[in-house]
Amino acid sequence: MQVARITVPPTAGLPLRLGDLLPWGDANFDDALAAWLQVPEVQLECSGTSALMVALRTLHKLAPARREVIMPAYTCPLVAMAISQCGLQARLCDLSPDALDMDESMLRGLCSEHTLAIVPTHLGGRVADVRVALHFARLVGAYVIEDAAQALGARVNGQSVGMQGDVGLFSLAVGKGLTTYEGGVLVAREAGMRSSLRAMHGRTVGFSFGWELLRSAELLGYAAVYRPATLDWAYGASLRRSLAEDDWIAAAGDDFDAFIPRHTLGTWRRRVAVRALKRLSPHLQEAQTRAQGRMMRLAQIPGIEVVRDPAPEAQGTWPVILLRMPDRASRDVLMRAHWASNLGLSLPFVNIVSDYVRYAPLLGSGVLDSVMVARDWAQRLVAVSNSEWLTDAQFDRLCAHIAETVARAP
Ligand SMILES: *Cc1c(COP(=O)(O)O)cnc(C)c1O
């Protein structure tokens, strides 16, 4: 394995500045974010997972006889954890062979009078087709929760993602864009749903001094080390350690804690977010311009497929550029050789949810859902960081390595 100092983070998160960390200032992040998203209101939670749990509990209260939640088989395992911890039953839907969307015919087959919600997911900033989920959900009287954890700022027909379904959620975790170290956001199209979500928050979420202190310290630490000079110490060292042990789950950051804290998002972290939010639009604009140029280069490599937004009216975000390699073998060869080479390579998630030993038990009978295409996606996807710190020279080397790996594949 090559030893390179890591200076490039795996995603193009918005870097914080010292000035963001001042103890005073405007703490009304709710209104600032709602205005930025152009939505009537947002509800802040302590993480995307916690936000999902508030959403699931709210919907379950509205439809207590329904217990099944249909999620894509390839997504963040925290989604399965949230469903299980709400006492609900996950059903895994396969993916389409052409896009990261759920397979239409399987989705139709999974929907029934037991379905509480369908969770279309805007993975890696790519905009999912929510209309199909909405159509099938309406046929059986179920809800749609848009998981936009990785897509803050993505829009469809000029409107924020999260507003086509009944509830939408964003994550403010490290690496997902704008960050409060951990944080989550709920949006909803209808006023009635917004008041139900707020009521559930009031009943189940409270202030925790201990968690707020910890998260504030973590946010300070993150602001201090999320820069090229110190990233190797913060991220590179543990990445190399995980890879040396051949632990891809840890290397990809898929080793989530089973305890999901639930508390409010404190005032100081809201102040930090208000200041950082002012830079989010230009940050996303630059990321899109950079991604467009680099996608053109990547698309020229024979055998490589760049994952794009299928619908023309969709305008996604670009924390990463997702590539589909020709087969699992070439993907694994590429990752083994260059995951730690400081070229911005990583995996969105190592496995489909049912293939993790530690998450499969959360699925109950959902583990039996047949999801072959999603597994194929999981085995062939790679993420290329769209961080501004990945230089053109590094990107050139990355393209050369990818082309060489594909050309050498048997
Ligand atoms: C990260 C993520 C979540 C959970 O968000 P957290 O803020 O990390 O709890 C949910 N869904 C997807 C697709 C994610 O990537």
Side-chain angles (χ1 to χ4, degrees), residues 88-245:
L88 299 168
Q89 171 66 56
R91 297 302 307 270
L92 299 185
C93 188
D94 207 357
L95 297 187
S96 148
D98 315 313
L100 285 167
D101 283 308
M102 286 183 276
D103 179 77
E104 255 189 75
S105 66
M106 181 158 181
L107 185 57
R108 184 190 308 122
L110 285 171
C111 286
S112 75
E113 74 278 13
H114 304 301
T115 309
L116 176 65
I118 306 175
V119 188
T121 302
H122 305 288
L123 208 66
R126 305 286 42 76
V127 176
D129 189 343
V130 178
R131 284 164 313 175
V132 174
L134 266 176
H135 173 71
F136 293 133
R138 292 298 178 253
L139 288 180
V140 295
Y143 296 98
V144 168
I145 302 175
E146 280 182 65
D147 183 347
Q150 302 187 3
L152 180 69
R155 303 185 80 81
V156 182
N157 285 321
Q159 186 184 47
S160 172
V161 291
M163 295 297 279
Q164 281 178 284
D166 299 289
V167 183
L169 72 97
F170 301 102
S171 167
L172 304 177
V174 166
K176 304 222 188 175
L178 179 67
T179 191
T180 49
Y181 197 80
E182 291 276 14
V185 181
L186 287 169
V187 295
R189 189 165 29 86
E190 289 180 358
M193 183 62 75
R194 293 198 292 275
S195 67
S196 300
L197 290 166
R198 207 158 279 291
M200 185 56 72
H201 176 96
R203 256 201 305 282
T204 57
V205 181
F207 177 74
S208 159
F209 181 76
W211 276 109
E212 195 51 44
L213 194 65
L214 176 66
R215 293 297 187 235
S216 299
E218 286 171 330
L219 184 61
L220 272 175
Y222 161 79
V225 301
Y226 190 82
R227 54 193 73 235
T230 41
L231 197 70
D232 190 66
W233 176 76
Y235 165 64
S238 69
L239 174 66
R240 285 189 294 272
R241 206 176 317 122
S242 304
L243 291 174
E245 291 164 6

Side-chain angles (χ1 to χ4, degrees), residues 43-74:
Q43 180 168 320
L44 299 178
E45 301 291 348
C46 68
S47 70
T49 312
S50 174
L52 177 57
M53 288 177 71
V54 169
L56 290 168
R57 291 216 160 98
T58 302
L59 300 183
H60 191 46
K61 190 152 191 288
L62 294 170
R66 295 167 176 266
R67 286 196 59 243
E68 292 187 357
V69 181
I70 303 174
M71 57 180 281
Y74 186 68

Side-chain angles (χ1 to χ4, degrees), residues 1-7 232 236-237 239-240 340-343 394 397:
M1 195 167 59
Q2 286 175 258
V3 176
R5 264 183 70 247
I6 300 281
T7 58
D232 190 66
L239 174 66
R240 285 189 294 272
S341 299
N342 197 31
L343 301 174
Q394 284 168 310
R397 274 172 47 215

